[in-house]
Amino acid sequence: MAGSVDELFEIKNNFYLGNYQAAINAATSLFSISDPSLVIERDCYLYRSYIAIGSYNTVLDEVKDNSPTPLQAVKLLATYTRGGENREISLVTLKQWMSDAASTDPMMQLVAGLIYSAEGNYDDALRSVHQCSSLEGRALMVQIYLKYNRVDMAVKELKILQEMDDDATLTQLSVVWVNLAVGGDKLQEAYYILVELADKYGSTASLLSAQAACCILLNRYSDAEKALQEALKKNAKDPETQANYITCLSLTGKPREVINRYANQLRDNSPNHSWVTQLAQAEETFNRCAARYAAQTSS
């Protein structure tokens, strides 16, 4: 359990729950901090929230070249997330920074883990965050192991999180992620945790989308669809919500044109989302096989 009062609790908690505008509002109104390190940490969550809502230029304009290393790391994340040719430039910069003194900074380690994980480079993602002692660093390791299909390692990391602070929102969310991967009876437990978090802190698109994921795995498609529709009302551009909604529409036999409409929205909003890239790979494989078959049958 955590000891002293966390002055940044409201900001961080809103960020973890996906309530980014509330995190921005809380960070912007918090001027009473005297500890310089807390000021930097506050600004990191402020700018990461701006990144989450797509306001990349706010971060790129306000974080200067002489800003502290943690803020430089967040600026790099904004550059990477903005996409386009910036992604390759960001990866080169990240590789350089992780080979020098900046690699010891906790925020730099976290950002490196986030970027490498987004790239599907889970080995480097784990190497970047394995020394990170923060709750968020350990929670990220849980996510990476799950993407790696190493549920056993994710469970071990979850136990470390629970020993650090069993009641923390990040710990509770990590329990949900692991339970979704384990399945079975754990799915209902995951759903109840999400409902309790929503009751306690307010419902967000992220929480509703996760509830829907539980419902889909429980074959409760009607409940999943309702949760996702509510999530889209809160944040129509949330990529996880869009991806889950496409899955739900497919499972419930909705018309292809409706599914394609949401798929195109996801492509436009988040062209590098794993759902989009995996679909593109599948389509490329299909087209290649179709072309080979056509060539064989015509000869």
Side-chain angles (χ1 to χ4, degrees):
M1 296 295 294
S4 58
V5 175
D6 185 354
E7 295 183 69
L8 305 182
F9 174 80
E10 182 181 0
I11 300 169
K12 293 191 289 188
N13 208 56
N14 278 313
F15 177 80
Y16 299 146
L17 293 169
N19 196 350
Y20 302 117
Q21 190 57 56
I24 291 170
N25 295 342
T28 303
S29 62
L30 185 60
F31 299 108
S32 59
I33 303 176
S34 57
D35 185 339
S37 64
L38 283 181
V39 172
I40 294 173
E41 188 178 2
R42 176 202 63 192
D43 290 346
C44 283
Y45 282 101
L46 169 67
Y47 290 126
R48 288 176 67 192
S49 297
Y50 275 118
I51 293 171
I53 64 173
S55 297
Y56 309 120
N57 288 336
T58 299
V59 184
L60 299 176
D61 291 343
E62 294 187 12
V63 179
K64 308 304 180 184
D65 291 340
N66 61 349
S67 295
T69 298
L71 291 175
Q72 291 295 332
V74 174
K75 185 175 183 178
L76 181 66
L77 180 62
T79 304
Y80 171 83
T81 309
R82 189 167 60 168
E85 62 182 16
N86 301 297
R87 292 174 68 89
E88 292 303 320
I89 297 173
S90 301
L91 289 170
V92 172
T93 303
L94 179 61
K95 186 175 181 179
Q96 293 173 343
W97 286 1
M98 291 303 290
S99 64
D100 62 26
S103 64
T104 61
D105 180 80
M107 182 55 65
M108 182 61 72
Q109 294 170 345
L110 184 67
V111 166
L114 290 168
I115 291 177
Y116 284 134
S117 181
E119 286 289 306
N121 185 352
Y122 302 130
D123 287 338
D124 282 343
L126 286 171
R127 274 193 286 269
S128 299
V129 297
H130 80 281
Q131 292 182 337
C132 205
S133 59
S134 67
L135 274 175
E136 190 173 6
R138 309 311 300 193
L140 179 56
M141 289 191 70
V142 171
Q143 293 185 59
I144 295 170
Y145 278 126
L146 291 175
K147 290 180 179 180
Y148 230 149
N149 292 320
R150 288 298 307 271
V151 179
D152 57 327
M153 295 301 297
V155 170
K156 289 182 180 179
E157 284 299 325
L158 176 58
K159 290 179 180 177
I160 295 174
L161 268 174
Q162 291 172 322
E163 290 172 359
M164 293 172 68
D165 191 344
D166 191 30
D167 294 328
T169 296
L170 267 180
T171 304
Q172 294 300 304
L173 290 173
S174 296
V175 172
V176 170
W177 303 330
V178 170
N179 285 358
L180 283 170
V182 172
D185 294 340
K186 294 293 185 180
L187 294 174
Q188 195 64 54
E189 179 186 341
Y191 182 80
Y192 287 143
I193 291 173
L194 292 165
V195 170
E196 288 176 4
L197 287 171
D199 289 343
K200 188 174 183 179
Y201 299 114
S203 185
T204 66
S206 296
L207 289 176
L208 286 165
S209 184
Q211 287 177 29
C214 292
C215 290
I216 289 173
L217 292 172
L218 289 165
N219 297 323
R220 290 162 42 189
Y221 300 137
S222 177
D223 290 338
E225 188 171 359
K226 290 177 183 177
L228 289 166
Q229 289 171 347
E230 187 64 28
L232 287 170
K233 290 179 183 178
K234 292 180 177 294
N235 186 354
K237 293 185 177 182
D238 179 63
E240 298 306 322
T241 299
Q242 289 179 325
N244 285 342
Y245 196 47
I246 294 167
T247 300
C248 188
L249 291 173
S250 300
L251 291 170
T252 52
K254 295 298 189 295
R256 175 53 54 183
E257 59 268 21
V258 175
I259 298 172
N260 289 340
R261 185 182 307 136
Y262 284 97
N264 288 332
Q265 288 180 15
L266 180 56
R267 287 190 185 96
D268 291 340
N269 296 332
S270 304
N272 298 303
H273 189 275
S274 59
W275 188 94
V276 176
T277 57
Q278 289 171 13
L279 179 62
Q281 291 170 0
E283 289 175 339
E284 182 181 349
T285 300
F286 175 82
N287 291 335
R288 188 167 57 249
C289 293
R292 187 181 301 122
Y293 176 78
Q296 291 174 347
T297 55
S298 63
S299 59

